[in-house]
Amino acid sequence: MQTASSTNDYDVDLPKASDLLASLSWIATRYVNQPSADLAKVALNLARKLQAPHYAESRLVSEVAGRLVAQWQDILHSQSEAATPEAQDALMCSIQPGSGVVH
């Protein structure tokens, strides 16, 4: 029987923290050049991966991951507040191609 603290609590195939940070930096650079909700969601997902127990051994990585998650959540929240109804409709149509008008 395995306990909650077993080594199976996280994915042992997770990339190194430096690889995640490099990917996050690349996504952030793309976001600066062409902001989009999709890029912000990818960045948030990468930041959340840095919060995995696998990386918790490093206090610095844990602190940076927490800050990155908060910042990307704020960015997504700001984007959703600033979106016009037309932009929201376009986003919905891109999520469900061929769906026609969103009601």
Side-chain angles (χ1 to χ4, degrees):
M1 188 163 134
Q2 295 178 345
T3 63
S5 62
S6 74
T7 57
N8 292 330
D9 288 344
Y10 62 89
D11 183 355
V12 294
D13 294 326
L14 285 172
K16 292 188 287 183
S18 60
D19 295 336
L20 283 175
L21 287 169
S23 296
L24 188 54
S25 295
W26 184 78
I27 294 296
T29 300
R30 291 207 49 208
Y31 181 86
V32 167
N33 292 323
Q34 188 174 7
S36 75
D38 289 337
L39 287 174
K41 288 175 188 176
V42 170
L44 178 58
N45 185 34
L46 288 170
R48 284 184 173 150
K49 286 181 193 247
L50 279 172
Q51 292 183 312
H54 180 71
Y55 305 115
E57 293 175 11
S58 168
R59 182 175 158 218
L60 177 61
V61 172
S62 295
E63 288 178 11
V64 168
R67 290 178 186 164
L68 288 168
V69 166
Q71 290 172 350
W72 284 106
Q73 285 175 332
D74 287 347
I75 288 169
L76 279 169
H77 181 72
S78 295
Q79 277 192 340
S80 68
E81 287 182 342
T84 63
E86 293 81 16
Q88 291 173 351
D89 288 347
L91 178 60
M92 290 304 295
C93 287
S94 70
I95 292 170
Q96 300 172 342
S99 64
V101 177
V102 177
H103 298 280

